[in-house]
Amino acid sequence: MPRFFSKSEKKAGSPPGLQIETQTALGTGSDICVLSYSKDSFETYHPPDIDAALRLIRKEKTIWIQVTGIHDHFAFSRMGELFNIHTLTLEDMVDPAHPPKFEEFDNYYYVTLKQLAFDPRNHEISENQVSLAVMENLVIFVQDKPSPCIIAVEKRLEAGRGNIRTAGPGYLAYALIDAVVDQAFDVVGQIAETVESVERDMLENLNPDHLEQIHRLKREVIFFNKQLRPVRGAMLSLIKSESPFVPDAAIRFYADVLDHVNHILDAVTSLQELLSSMLDFYMSAQGNRMNEVMATLTIISTIFIPLSFLAGIYGMNFKFMPELEWQWGYFVLLGSMAVIGGAMAAYFKKKGWF
């Protein structure tokens, strides 16, 4: 599948919203985990389906429902019925190619993000879509694959550190979004280390493999920028939102996330400029190397011009050429060629031409 343009699985002309088709509905089921907590308690449940998860909701507690796997469209359709989630939101939840965004509805707000990871061996970024629907005392967190970055949030809840247990679903949503953005911080740091490593190798021993490495890194940085840049717009919309599910106390934290996103985007811009300068350096070094080769060949050709002239004169088949009958003529000619060639080489060396 193309990484810079992902074709939608939705057929042209089909109605908007989540469409249940046999091949997707009968796919891999979704795993559901429910975390129920308050100031003094924390419980974890693994209900068999979304209906069982609904029965675990208590008004006096904050509920975090984790749904892993986006291919069971029957389950998502049922989730939409139980929690009054708009069908367009459900469609976005099950679309792994959907860009990050923020949407506000009467009974919830919705955020979708991309969790990114970098493989330094293959110089490749992988993505994992995560979505949040934040309601009253409830956060529904949907992920295509298990997200390592949310484990830290779970541990904070379990340990009861800070005010995460008492600040409500708005603060939990912030903690999850912040964890995803922090993961992007780690990715851009890994990319920067890889770029600097390639740069050091280029300065020590430039070789054709560096061109491929630069090209692959440039592609990954562009891909990273494509996945992260929409997050800035989503955070701006979230901060400006008047939704009752975005408490005023959480606005400052969301602004901090926006600040992190801006820092990462600035780092991405710097990486793009560095990679462009590395490419220019490579092309310039290759050009200089070619110029050195051409200069060497030119010097060799220049030295042989007078030698070829002498060889051409005495290679003519005229009858009356006194030097041809001379006993030492051959050796004198070779000596003259050697003196002329050596003198020219010494002169070029003195000029610093090679």
Side-chain angles (χ1 to χ4, degrees), residues 47-58 65 78 82-83:
D49 52 43
I50 198 67
D51 290 86
L54 179 64
R55 293 191 290 270
L56 297 172
I57 296 178
R58 301 290 184 269
I65 299 178
R78 181 59 177 160
L82 295 175
F83 297 101

Side-chain angles (χ1 to χ4, degrees), residues 51-67:
D51 290 86
L54 179 64
R55 293 191 290 270
L56 297 172
I57 296 178
R58 301 290 184 269
K59 289 185 178 181
E60 68 276 8
K61 294 187 176 182
T62 302
I63 305 298
W64 175 13
I65 299 178
Q66 299 177 11
V67 181

Side-chain angles (χ1 to χ4, degrees), residues 176-194:
L176 293 171
I177 294 172
D178 186 58
V180 174
V181 173
D182 285 346
Q183 178 72 17
F185 247 131
D186 294 339
V187 170
V188 79
Q190 290 177 301
I191 296 175
E193 291 177 0
T194 304

Side-chain angles (χ1 to χ4, degrees), residues 263-297:
H263 280 311
I264 297 173
L265 291 176
D266 289 342
V268 169
T269 300
S270 299
L271 284 175
Q272 289 176 320
E273 294 175 354
L274 178 58
L275 286 167
S276 295
S277 67
M278 288 169 61
L279 181 60
D280 292 340
F281 171 76
Y282 177 87
M283 301 306 295
S284 176
Q286 290 296 98
N288 289 338
R289 181 176 296 178
M290 181 61 67
N291 290 338
E292 291 175 0
V293 172
M294 293 302 298
T296 302
L297 295 176

Side-chain angles (χ1 to χ4, degrees), residues 115-153:
Q115 181 198 344
L116 304 173
F118 181 68
D119 184 354
R121 292 176 298 178
N122 298 325
H123 295 174
E124 187 170 312
I125 294 175
S126 59
E127 60 174 316
N128 178 29
Q129 175 163 302
V130 297
S131 304
L132 296 90
V134 183
M135 308 176 186
E136 184 178 2
N137 295 332
L138 174 65
V139 174
I140 298 177
F141 182 84
V142 178
Q143 53 189 348
D144 186 11
K145 295 170 288 188
S147 303
C149 65
I150 69 169
I151 296 178
V153 180

Side-chain angles (χ1 to χ4, degrees), residues 279-346:
L279 181 60
D280 292 340
F281 171 76
Y282 177 87
M283 301 306 295
S284 176
Q286 290 296 98
N288 289 338
R289 181 176 296 178
M290 181 61 67
N291 290 338
E292 291 175 0
V293 172
M294 293 302 298
T296 302
L297 295 176
T298 301
I299 289 172
I300 294 174
S301 300
T302 303
I303 291 175
F304 273 89
I305 287 175
L307 307 186
S308 299
F309 174 73
L310 293 176
I313 290 178
Y314 290 102
M316 294 185 294
N317 294 322
F318 289 107
K319 183 175 182 179
F320 298 103
M321 295 183 69
E323 292 86 350
L324 297 180
E325 301 297 331
W326 187 27
Q327 179 181 359
W328 305 103
Y330 173 72
F331 300 102
V332 171
L333 179 61
L334 288 181
S336 301
M337 288 182 174
V339 171
I340 292 172
M344 293 182 68

